Amino acid sequence: MGELLGSGEVRPGGVIATTFTKKAATELRERVRQHLFESGRMGLANAMGQARIGTVNSVCGGLLERFAFEAGMATRQQVLDEAQTSQLIREAIEAAMSGEEVVALSGLAQRLGMEDWTADIAALVAQARGNDIDPTQLITFAHQNADDLLAHFPAPLRETLTQDLLTEIRRALPSLQAAAATSTVKKTQAYLATLERFERELRQGIPPWSQWMALSKETPEKGLLSLSEPIQMLAQACDGHPQLHADIRSYLERMFSVSAAALAHYRARKLAMGVVDFTDQEHLLLKLLDEPEVAEVLREELDLLLVDEFQDTSPIQLALFLKLSRLAKHTYWVGDIKQAIYGFRGSDTELMQAILGALPGMGGNKRILDGSWRSQPALVHLVNEVFVHTFADTLPPEEVALVPQRPEFTGNPALSRWWLGGKNVEEISHALADGVRQLLASGRQVPAKGSEELRPLLARDIAILCRSNTAVTQVAATLRQAGVAAAMAQPGLLSTPEATLALACLRRLNDASDTVATAEIVSLADSEAPDVWLADRLAHLQRGESRGSWRETGEHAHPMVAGLALLRGEHPLLTPQEALRR
């Protein structure tokens, strides 16, 4: 970017650069400024404030604000952050599910082994939003999903499969029970218990399909196999059971239907509140770029489009970048498939691979940045050995392996493996502490930050990862006993009176009926004795007043509780931090 700015091909005000975080955006702007300062271009460096550098949503918000008239919207939009969006979506999902729907989906999920189907609905809603899919289309997708999935299953078998299996089990049970009464073979005893349990569940309905598959693999002792073989064959045929096919189709249709209803609820709630979310900003700008007047202005102004962290792009963001790239004079997309970590937010590395495949037809080219400036050569070579093999089915070796650019100063090994003695957590912690102490005393040298000079290894250079918070506490304590300084997160902050009061206020703000929170507020804020507020609470109930209005109004109204009542109308739009500041 600095070279293009210096050559005059790109104007500071003609730059749009998107990054994934605000911190990365600030770092990018400062790096460009630093480059321009060092090359003597002071005026350009000072003018970098004109560039639109930020997250995708901040850039979208800025463009929507600028072209608000063309978009037919207010110049100032109240934008939900991620926490607020998640909360409203959860509420929309709950509103979209009737009691009958919950019962039906719970039963289907239990038979199909879908442990957390509510999370799957949230993921489906996120995917629909990230792909800019209208809720009315989701029902069609449900049918298509079911057809595509069931195409991998055998054709439905006879409707009597359940009854046939029940008949075979009942035929085999007397003989198996008689054999088990005299047999000491544990395998036969276990098989009989499984069969009896399955028979009971089969009489009551359809057991989970995983139990059908488990039954198809279990057998009694060798001499009784003739009794179990017909049962195994029928249980194994469950993938062709008409009821399984019906369960899969019904589950998908209900999931998509609830997701569509949740999206409709969410859209109506945002409209009533007069707010938009990040995805709305992307959707609105995507439509706005089709307006000839807007496209013409941006075509004249936009000199450079730079997309950083492209591997984490969602489908709707890709559509945005493609439209903007047709308007920009220069376009650069920077990404690394190996670093894609935001699939849960709708990003898809296949999008990046598709763009790379389409580059020649778009008049573009690909450049591999294969230098590694951060890590020591030995570590880079070690990572290359692992990653080239890991991505062999996705990327050619030359697009995975990095070339170390940082000089080697120390000769320290890139990876060491410690074998820790001990049979329990305490003994292992002591062994680890002893190893750290020896490492610090070994005289190992590390490069000083920002220079090529070496300095002794210090305790602050060492990070220890543990599997649990309990282990963190144990290891930190053991290190201190060994004379090694150790820093860790300290518990107890939320137990202080100040934190307890803050949490009580948040609970009362979120739920007017939380009278325990109200009691904590009046006790902690004014040191009101329990017998005083308890008597007032009982009198409040005797007067027949609503539970949630206690201490909000009337003679004994508490200013803090009353203030929370006034703020409650805004709470869906407030983060906890914003609410506490109010």
Side-chain angles (χ1 to χ4, degrees):
M1 186 190 298
E3 294 177 3
L4 288 171
L5 286 162
S7 68
E9 294 181 66
V10 171
R11 299 160 294 179
V15 172
I16 289 181
T18 67
T19 61
F20 206 76
T21 64
K22 294 178 181 178
K23 181 179 179 180
T26 302
E27 183 180 352
L28 176 59
R29 189 187 299 273
E30 292 309 310
R31 282 187 177 183
V32 174
R33 277 181 171 157
Q34 183 67 27
H35 174 81
L36 293 171
F37 273 127
E38 291 174 354
S39 60
R41 298 181 176 91
M42 309 294 288
L44 281 174
N46 290 328
M48 281 308 297
Q50 302 171 19
R52 296 186 183 93
I53 301 177
T55 63
V56 176
N57 294 110
S58 68
V59 170
C60 287
L63 290 174
L64 286 172
E65 184 175 322
R66 180 183 176 189
F67 296 107
F69 179 79
E70 290 81 359
M73 55 192 295
T75 55
R76 294 287 182 181
Q77 291 290 317
Q78 189 167 1
V79 183
L80 301 173
D81 63 24
E82 290 186 344
Q84 294 165 338
T85 297
S86 298
Q87 176 62 31
L88 289 183
I89 287 177
R90 284 195 295 270
E91 293 175 4
I93 291 174
E94 291 176 5
M97 289 191 292
S98 64
E100 181 274 333
E101 197 72 64
V102 171
V103 171
L105 272 170
S106 297
L108 288 166
Q110 192 266 338
R111 285 205 298 274
L112 293 170
M114 310 302 292
E115 296 182 358
D116 194 358
W117 57 271
T118 55
D120 290 340
I121 290 178
L124 187 54
V125 168
Q127 287 290 328
R129 296 176 63 242
N131 285 272
D132 199 22
I133 297 172
D134 189 89
T136 57
Q137 294 180 275
L138 285 181
I139 302 302
T140 303
F141 290 166
H143 300 315
Q144 183 179 339
N145 269 261
D147 290 341
D148 291 346
L149 179 58
L150 291 173
H152 298 281
F153 284 67
L157 299 174
R158 58 190 181 276
E159 295 284 348
T160 60
L161 190 58
T162 299
Q163 185 58 46
D164 292 344
L165 179 58
L166 187 58
T167 299
E168 285 296 331
I169 291 175
R170 287 173 174 171
R171 183 187 65 81
L173 274 176
S175 300
L176 285 167
Q177 289 166 342
T182 58
S183 174
T184 59
V185 179
K186 292 183 178 180
K187 189 175 183 181
T188 297
Q189 303 288 344
Y191 180 73
L192 177 61
T194 299
L195 205 60
E196 288 176 335
R197 183 172 60 253
F198 191 87
E199 190 267 344
R200 287 194 300 272
E201 294 189 13
L202 206 58
R203 281 190 280 109
Q204 297 169 1
I206 298 291
W209 298 106
S210 59
Q211 292 185 21
W212 288 63
M213 292 306 301
L215 184 63
S216 72
K217 298 174 183 177
E218 292 195 31
T219 58
E221 59 190 271
K222 188 175 181 180
L224 301 173
L225 290 180
S226 59
L227 295 173
S228 66
E229 285 174 353
I231 296 171
Q232 282 183 284
M233 292 178 60
L234 289 168
Q236 195 171 25
C238 69
D239 54 358
H241 199 303
Q243 187 59 53
L244 172 61
H245 288 230
D247 282 353
I248 291 173
R249 188 172 296 279
S250 178
Y251 179 76
L252 288 172
E253 289 176 353
R254 288 179 180 274
M255 290 286 284
F256 276 78
S257 177
V258 169
S259 299
L263 283 169
H265 277 283
Y266 178 56
R267 180 180 294 177
R269 184 76 185 279
K270 287 185 297 180
L271 185 62
M273 296 168 65
V275 297
V276 295
D277 62 21
F278 291 158
T279 302
D280 292 329
Q281 289 182 311
E282 295 166 355
H283 173 78
L284 289 168
L285 182 59
L286 189 63
K287 292 173 59 179
L288 186 60
L289 292 177
D290 290 330
E291 295 293 329
E293 299 85 354
V294 175
E296 186 58 34
V297 170
L298 289 177
R299 187 177 289 109
E300 173 63 29
E301 294 183 356
L302 188 50
D303 295 332
L304 171 66
L305 171 66
L306 173 64
V307 179
D308 195 18
E309 305 293 352
F310 179 59
Q311 74 277 355
D312 291 318
T313 297
S314 69
I316 190 172
Q317 290 172 350
L318 174 60
L320 264 176
F321 296 151
L322 286 171
K323 284 189 177 182
L324 286 171
S325 67
R326 297 188 188 105
L327 304 175
K329 299 176 182 66
H330 301 276
T331 300
Y332 291 89
W333 293 352
V334 183
D336 184 355
I337 292 175
K338 303 188 298 298
Q339 297 185 39
I341 60 173
Y342 287 102
F344 65 92
R345 289 186 177 179
S347 66
D348 189 345
T349 56
E350 291 185 9
L351 298 176
M352 182 174 177
Q353 291 173 306
I355 289 295
L356 291 175
L359 272 179
M362 299 167 61
N365 58 74
K366 177 175 66 176
R367 178 186 173 191
I368 303 298
L369 304 177
D370 59 358
S372 173
W373 300 87
R374 293 182 178 178
S375 302
Q376 65 187 82
L379 182 58
V380 175
H381 293 312
L382 173 64
V383 171
N384 286 343
E385 288 294 322
V386 175
F387 274 64
V388 168
H389 172 73
T390 301
F391 287 90
D393 296 335
T394 307
L395 300 170
E398 62 271 15
E399 294 187 14
V400 179
L402 296 174
V403 180
Q405 302 294 326
R406 175 177 161 181
E408 178 60 78
F409 298 117
T410 65
N412 293 333
L415 178 68
S416 301
R417 183 172 184 178
W418 291 5
W419 291 97
L420 300 177
K423 298 179 181 179
N424 53 47
V425 174
E426 184 176 355
E427 291 179 358
I428 293 172
S429 295
H430 280 287
L432 176 62
D434 188 55
V436 172
R437 185 177 55 77
Q438 292 181 35
L439 178 63
L440 291 169
S442 67
R444 175 169 292 192
Q445 300 268 296
V446 296
K449 187 174 182 179
S451 73
E452 298 180 2
E453 296 182 3
L454 297 179
R455 62 167 176 78
L457 179 71
L458 302 175
R460 67 169 180 261
D461 299 318
I462 300 173
I464 298 176
L465 304 182
C466 302
R467 291 184 178 273
S468 66
N469 290 330
T470 302
V472 169
T473 304
Q474 173 73 50
V475 169
T478 308
L479 284 169
R480 295 188 188 109
Q481 292 174 10
V484 178
M488 55 172 283
Q490 298 293 325
L493 175 62
L494 295 182
S495 300
T496 62
E498 296 83 357
T500 302
L501 176 59
L503 289 173
C505 289
L506 289 175
R507 284 161 43 211
R508 174 72 190 193
L509 175 63
N510 187 58
D511 183 2
S513 65
D514 191 340
T515 51
V516 174
T518 308
E520 290 177 352
I521 291 171
V522 298
S523 296
L524 292 168
D526 296 336
S527 300
E528 190 172 305
D531 56 336
V532 175
W533 59 254
L534 182 58
D536 182 62
R537 172 63 179 163
L538 293 173
H540 177 86
L541 294 175
Q542 287 177 348
R543 291 192 297 268
E545 299 184 40
S546 66
R547 291 169 51 88
S549 65
W550 182 45
R551 289 300 181 101
E552 284 187 0
T553 59
E555 179 183 353
H556 297 140
H558 190 280
M560 192 174 291
V561 177
L564 291 170
L566 294 174
L567 191 60
R568 189 167 296 118
E570 300 179 42
H571 95 274
L573 303 178
L574 299 175
T575 65
Q577 184 182 31
E578 291 170 338
L580 288 172
R581 285 180 175 176
R582 295 289 185 91

